[in-house]
Amino acid sequence: MLRQICFEDTQFTNPMRLFIEILRVLLKYDSIVMKKLTMIGIGHPFVGNFTQEISAVAQFRGITKLDLSFSSLSDTTSTNTFAEYIKRDQALRSLNLNCCRLLNGESTAYLLRSIGDSTITELVVDFNKLTGQVVEDAFIYMLTNNRLFQTISASLCGFTENFIKTRLLIALGELPSLNQLYISENRIGDMVELKDLIIKLLTTRPMLHRLDIRYMYCELDVCY
């Protein structure tokens, strides 16, 4: 019984079409229960989006682990399509959106709110531009509405110093099951104040056993 499929580097036309056809064939078999799906590099930013691919994936029910790292969610259509998928299928527990070119504020915010309404426990959003008031509000909504998070990785997301100090760490500190947190390479200038916030986080979250806050002291010029 097929339970996992991995499809990588599909940034050219023929592999993308092949990927969609494979999924369509698999849908014909009731015996196939796919729990883990890896689609790395879907929808190359210089070729197009991956709306067709995610629409095909959305036809499956019960996927618990989905890896879309290095795929392109830079356009509104792809991001909104994926957000709708998350809202429909509540089986998803692990989601990797590392370096997915989340650039559009409104659609990114919609996606984050959809994750907040889900039952996802493990989230990776490293190397995405999660800046601006709308996106920051949605990120906090996600953390306050979904109390199931156990792992959050949000390194190199362009978080501002004010957002980290006044909102992000406070919201993270209220997650009851958080045990792994990665927020490295987000700018913090006052390390003394950060130290106090981290100490409070560690003392209020006894389940937290892994914390990555490397390179929080330097200005980074990142190309998303």
Side-chain angles (χ1 to χ4, degrees), residues 146-166:
N146 183 346
R147 313 296 288 173
L148 302 175
F149 283 122
Q150 298 175 13
T151 299
I152 292 180
S153 186
S155 299
L156 261 171
C157 288
F159 293 141
T160 64
E161 182 173 351
N162 182 63
F163 175 66
I164 294 172
K165 291 178 178 178
T166 62

PDB file of all heavy atoms in Angstrom, residues 146-166:
ATOM      1  N   ASN A 146      -4.297  28.495  17.138  1.00  0.00           N
ATOM      2  CA  ASN A 146      -3.905  27.087  17.093  1.00  0.00           C
ATOM      3  C   ASN A 146      -3.018  26.804  18.296  1.00  0.00           C
ATOM      4  O   ASN A 146      -1.843  27.155  18.311  1.00  0.00           O
ATOM      5  CB  ASN A 146      -3.143  26.789  15.796  1.00  0.00           C
ATOM      6  CG  ASN A 146      -2.776  25.313  15.655  1.00  0.00           C
ATOM      7  OD1 ASN A 146      -2.855  24.553  16.614  1.00  0.00           O
ATOM      8  ND2 ASN A 146      -2.377  24.917  14.467  1.00  0.00           N
ATOM      9  N   ARG A 147      -3.562  26.143  19.294  1.00  0.00           N
ATOM     10  CA  ARG A 147      -2.833  25.881  20.533  1.00  0.00           C
ATOM     11  C   ARG A 147      -2.126  24.529  20.497  1.00  0.00           C
ATOM     12  O   ARG A 147      -1.616  24.072  21.521  1.00  0.00           O
ATOM     13  CB  ARG A 147      -3.796  25.908  21.721  1.00  0.00           C
ATOM     14  CG  ARG A 147      -4.740  27.076  21.733  1.00  0.00           C
ATOM     15  CD  ARG A 147      -3.999  28.393  21.869  1.00  0.00           C
ATOM     16  NE  ARG A 147      -3.450  28.572  23.211  1.00  0.00           N
ATOM     17  CZ  ARG A 147      -2.657  29.566  23.572  1.00  0.00           C
ATOM     18  NH1 ARG A 147      -2.278  30.451  22.669  1.00  0.00           N
ATOM     19  NH2 ARG A 147      -2.229  29.672  24.806  1.00  0.00           N
ATOM     20  N   LEU A 148      -2.062  23.904  19.324  1.00  0.00           N
ATOM     21  CA  LEU A 148      -1.491  22.561  19.213  1.00  0.00           C
ATOM     22  C   LEU A 148      -0.032  22.553  18.787  1.00  0.00           C
ATOM     23  O   LEU A 148       0.601  21.504  18.779  1.00  0.00           O
ATOM     24  CB  LEU A 148      -2.306  21.727  18.212  1.00  0.00           C
ATOM     25  CG  LEU A 148      -3.784  21.572  18.516  1.00  0.00           C
ATOM     26  CD1 LEU A 148      -4.478  20.832  17.376  1.00  0.00           C
ATOM     27  CD2 LEU A 148      -3.991  20.823  19.830  1.00  0.00           C
ATOM     28  N   PHE A 149       0.513  23.717  18.439  1.00  0.00           N
ATOM     29  CA  PHE A 149       1.875  23.760  17.923  1.00  0.00           C
ATOM     30  C   PHE A 149       2.877  23.145  18.913  1.00  0.00           C
ATOM     31  O   PHE A 149       2.923  23.513  20.084  1.00  0.00           O
ATOM     32  CB  PHE A 149       2.303  25.199  17.632  1.00  0.00           C
ATOM     33  CG  PHE A 149       1.741  25.759  16.364  1.00  0.00           C
ATOM     34  CD1 PHE A 149       0.968  26.907  16.394  1.00  0.00           C
ATOM     35  CD2 PHE A 149       1.985  25.148  15.147  1.00  0.00           C
ATOM     36  CE1 PHE A 149       0.445  27.442  15.227  1.00  0.00           C
ATOM     37  CE2 PHE A 149       1.463  25.668  13.974  1.00  0.00           C
ATOM     38  CZ  PHE A 149       0.687  26.810  14.007  1.00  0.00           C
ATOM     39  N   GLN A 150       3.702  22.228  18.373  1.00  0.00           N
ATOM     40  CA  GLN A 150       4.797  21.651  19.137  1.00  0.00           C
ATOM     41  C   GLN A 150       6.148  22.136  18.602  1.00  0.00           C
ATOM     42  O   GLN A 150       7.099  22.290  19.369  1.00  0.00           O
ATOM     43  CB  GLN A 150       4.733  20.126  19.083  1.00  0.00           C
ATOM     44  CG  GLN A 150       3.476  19.552  19.693  1.00  0.00           C
ATOM     45  CD  GLN A 150       3.388  18.044  19.517  1.00  0.00           C
ATOM     46  OE1 GLN A 150       4.357  17.383  19.147  1.00  0.00           O
ATOM     47  NE2 GLN A 150       2.215  17.484  19.783  1.00  0.00           N
ATOM     48  N   THR A 151       6.210  22.347  17.285  1.00  0.00           N
ATOM     49  CA  THR A 151       7.440  22.818  16.648  1.00  0.00           C
ATOM     50  C   THR A 151       7.125  23.984  15.724  1.00  0.00           C
ATOM     51  O   THR A 151       6.222  23.891  14.899  1.00  0.00           O
ATOM     52  CB  THR A 151       8.116  21.703  15.825  1.00  0.00           C
ATOM     53  OG1 THR A 151       8.463  20.618  16.686  1.00  0.00           O
ATOM     54  CG2 THR A 151       9.371  22.225  15.133  1.00  0.00           C
ATOM     55  N   ILE A 152       7.873  25.076  15.875  1.00  0.00           N
ATOM     56  CA  ILE A 152       7.755  26.224  14.980  1.00  0.00           C
ATOM     57  C   ILE A 152       9.154  26.657  14.569  1.00  0.00           C
ATOM     58  O   ILE A 152      10.021  26.889  15.418  1.00  0.00           O
ATOM     59  CB  ILE A 152       7.022  27.400  15.640  1.00  0.00           C
ATOM     60  CG1 ILE A 152       5.550  27.045  15.865  1.00  0.00           C
ATOM     61  CG2 ILE A 152       7.136  28.658  14.782  1.00  0.00           C
ATOM     62  CD1 ILE A 152       4.745  28.147  16.509  1.00  0.00           C
ATOM     63  N   SER A 153       9.349  26.753  13.264  1.00  0.00           N
ATOM     64  CA  SER A 153      10.624  27.227  12.732  1.00  0.00           C
ATOM     65  C   SER A 153      10.349  28.427  11.838  1.00  0.00           C
ATOM     66  O   SER A 153       9.703  28.297  10.792  1.00  0.00           O
ATOM     67  CB  SER A 153      11.332  26.116  11.949  1.00  0.00           C
ATOM     68  OG  SER A 153      12.623  26.517  11.558  1.00  0.00           O
ATOM     69  N   ALA A 154      10.820  29.591  12.268  1.00  0.00           N
ATOM     70  CA  ALA A 154      10.576  30.834  11.537  1.00  0.00           C
ATOM     71  C   ALA A 154      11.842  31.679  11.503  1.00  0.00           C
ATOM     72  O   ALA A 154      11.856  32.834  11.935  1.00  0.00           O
ATOM     73  CB  ALA A 154       9.421  31.605  12.157  1.00  0.00           C
ATOM     74  N   SER A 155      12.916  31.092  11.023  1.00  0.00           N
ATOM     75  CA  SER A 155      14.183  31.798  10.906  1.00  0.00           C
ATOM     76  C   SER A 155      14.235  32.578   9.592  1.00  0.00           C
ATOM     77  O   SER A 155      13.610  32.186   8.606  1.00  0.00           O
ATOM     78  CB  SER A 155      15.351  30.809  10.964  1.00  0.00           C
ATOM     79  OG  SER A 155      15.378  30.116  12.195  1.00  0.00           O
ATOM     80  N   LEU A 156      14.977  33.672   9.613  1.00  0.00           N
ATOM     81  CA  LEU A 156      15.166  34.483   8.410  1.00  0.00           C
ATOM     82  C   LEU A 156      13.840  34.896   7.773  1.00  0.00           C
ATOM     83  O   LEU A 156      13.636  34.753   6.577  1.00  0.00           O
ATOM     84  CB  LEU A 156      16.024  33.722   7.384  1.00  0.00           C
ATOM     85  CG  LEU A 156      17.505  34.083   7.343  1.00  0.00           C
ATOM     86  CD1 LEU A 156      18.269  33.114   6.446  1.00  0.00           C
ATOM     87  CD2 LEU A 156      17.691  35.506   6.841  1.00  0.00           C
ATOM     88  N   CYS A 157      12.945  35.409   8.592  1.00  0.00           N
ATOM     89  CA  CYS A 157      11.636  35.840   8.098  1.00  0.00           C
ATOM     90  C   CYS A 157      11.490  37.356   8.071  1.00  0.00           C
ATOM     91  O   CYS A 157      10.426  37.862   7.739  1.00  0.00           O
ATOM     92  CB  CYS A 157      10.523  35.230   8.953  1.00  0.00           C
ATOM     93  SG  CYS A 157      10.300  33.460   8.687  1.00  0.00           S
ATOM     94  N   GLY A 158      12.542  38.070   8.442  1.00  0.00           N
ATOM     95  CA  GLY A 158      12.484  39.519   8.401  1.00  0.00           C
ATOM     96  C   GLY A 158      11.693  40.156   9.519  1.00  0.00           C
ATOM     97  O   GLY A 158      11.286  41.317   9.418  1.00  0.00           O
ATOM     98  N   PHE A 159      11.453  39.412  10.604  1.00  0.00           N
ATOM     99  CA  PHE A 159      10.705  39.967  11.732  1.00  0.00           C
ATOM    100  C   PHE A 159      11.433  41.196  12.288  1.00  0.00           C
ATOM    101  O   PHE A 159      12.649  41.195  12.452  1.00  0.00           O
ATOM    102  CB  PHE A 159      10.555  38.939  12.848  1.00  0.00           C
ATOM    103  CG  PHE A 159       9.701  37.761  12.509  1.00  0.00           C
ATOM    104  CD1 PHE A 159      10.042  36.493  12.941  1.00  0.00           C
ATOM    105  CD2 PHE A 159       8.547  37.915  11.761  1.00  0.00           C
ATOM    106  CE1 PHE A 159       9.250  35.395  12.630  1.00  0.00           C
ATOM    107  CE2 PHE A 159       7.741  36.826  11.445  1.00  0.00           C
ATOM    108  CZ  PHE A 159       8.099  35.568  11.883  1.00  0.00           C
ATOM    109  N   THR A 160      10.680  42.229  12.603  1.00  0.00           N
ATOM    110  CA  THR A 160      11.278  43.436  13.162  1.00  0.00           C
ATOM    111  C   THR A 160      11.531  43.249  14.656  1.00  0.00           C
ATOM    112  O   THR A 160      10.923  42.402  15.322  1.00  0.00           O
ATOM    113  CB  THR A 160      10.358  44.645  12.963  1.00  0.00           C
ATOM    114  OG1 THR A 160       9.147  44.441  13.708  1.00  0.00           O
ATOM    115  CG2 THR A 160      10.034  44.845  11.490  1.00  0.00           C
ATOM    116  N   GLU A 161      12.426  44.073  15.175  1.00  0.00           N
ATOM    117  CA  GLU A 161      12.763  44.004  16.588  1.00  0.00           C
ATOM    118  C   GLU A 161      11.547  44.270  17.464  1.00  0.00           C
ATOM    119  O   GLU A 161      11.306  43.575  18.457  1.00  0.00           O
ATOM    120  CB  GLU A 161      13.870  45.013  16.897  1.00  0.00           C
ATOM    121  CG  GLU A 161      14.330  45.004  18.335  1.00  0.00           C
ATOM    122  CD  GLU A 161      15.537  45.900  18.556  1.00  0.00           C
ATOM    123  OE1 GLU A 161      16.115  46.384  17.569  1.00  0.00           O
ATOM    124  OE2 GLU A 161      15.890  46.115  19.725  1.00  0.00           O
ATOM    125  N   ASN A 162      10.753  45.248  17.088  1.00  0.00           N
ATOM    126  CA  ASN A 162       9.567  45.589  17.866  1.00  0.00           C
ATOM    127  C   ASN A 162       8.562  44.444  17.866  1.00  0.00           C
ATOM    128  O   ASN A 162       7.971  44.123  18.908  1.00  0.00           O
ATOM    129  CB  ASN A 162       8.914  46.852  17.296  1.00  0.00           C
ATOM    130  CG  ASN A 162       7.706  47.281  18.107  1.00  0.00           C
ATOM    131  OD1 ASN A 162       7.810  47.625  19.277  1.00  0.00           O
ATOM    132  ND2 ASN A 162       6.540  47.251  17.463  1.00  0.00           N
ATOM    133  N   PHE A 163       8.364  43.806  16.741  1.00  0.00           N
ATOM    134  CA  PHE A 163       7.421  42.691  16.643  1.00  0.00           C
ATOM    135  C   PHE A 163       7.868  41.521  17.516  1.00  0.00           C
ATOM    136  O   PHE A 163       7.063  40.909  18.218  1.00  0.00           O
ATOM    137  CB  PHE A 163       7.285  42.255  15.182  1.00  0.00           C
ATOM    138  CG  PHE A 163       6.436  41.039  14.983  1.00  0.00           C
ATOM    139  CD1 PHE A 163       5.082  41.059  15.262  1.00  0.00           C
ATOM    140  CD2 PHE A 163       6.992  39.854  14.502  1.00  0.00           C
ATOM    141  CE1 PHE A 163       4.288  39.929  15.079  1.00  0.00           C
ATOM    142  CE2 PHE A 163       6.211  38.728  14.303  1.00  0.00           C
ATOM    143  CZ  PHE A 163       4.862  38.766  14.599  1.00  0.00           C
ATOM    144  N   ILE A 164       9.157  41.205  17.464  1.00  0.00           N
ATOM    145  CA  ILE A 164       9.671  40.084  18.245  1.00  0.00           C
ATOM    146  C   ILE A 164       9.480  40.335  19.742  1.00  0.00           C
ATOM    147  O   ILE A 164       9.006  39.467  20.483  1.00  0.00           O
ATOM    148  CB  ILE A 164      11.160  39.846  17.934  1.00  0.00           C
ATOM    149  CG1 ILE A 164      11.329  39.385  16.479  1.00  0.00           C
ATOM    150  CG2 ILE A 164      11.752  38.792  18.877  1.00  0.00           C
ATOM    151  CD1 ILE A 164      12.771  39.304  16.031  1.00  0.00           C
ATOM    152  N   LYS A 165       9.825  41.529  20.183  1.00  0.00           N
ATOM    153  CA  LYS A 165       9.807  41.842  21.621  1.00  0.00           C
ATOM    154  C   LYS A 165       8.401  42.021  22.171  1.00  0.00           C
ATOM    155  O   LYS A 165       8.091  41.554  23.273  1.00  0.00           O
ATOM    156  CB  LYS A 165      10.616  43.109  21.881  1.00  0.00           C
ATOM    157  CG  LYS A 165      12.114  42.951  21.676  1.00  0.00           C
ATOM    158  CD  LYS A 165      12.818  44.275  21.924  1.00  0.00           C
ATOM    159  CE  LYS A 165      14.308  44.162  21.774  1.00  0.00           C
ATOM    160  NZ  LYS A 165      14.989  45.464  21.966  1.00  0.00           N
ATOM    161  N   THR A 166       7.556  42.720  21.432  1.00  0.00           N
ATOM    162  CA  THR A 166       6.252  43.102  21.981  1.00  0.00           C
ATOM    163  C   THR A 166       5.129  42.119  21.670  1.00  0.00           C
ATOM    164  O   THR A 166       4.102  42.118  22.365  1.00  0.00           O
ATOM    165  CB  THR A 166       5.836  44.489  21.458  1.00  0.00           C
ATOM    166  OG1 THR A 166       5.692  44.436  20.019  1.00  0.00           O
ATOM    167  CG2 THR A 166       6.873  45.538  21.816  1.00  0.00           C
TER     168      THR A 166
END
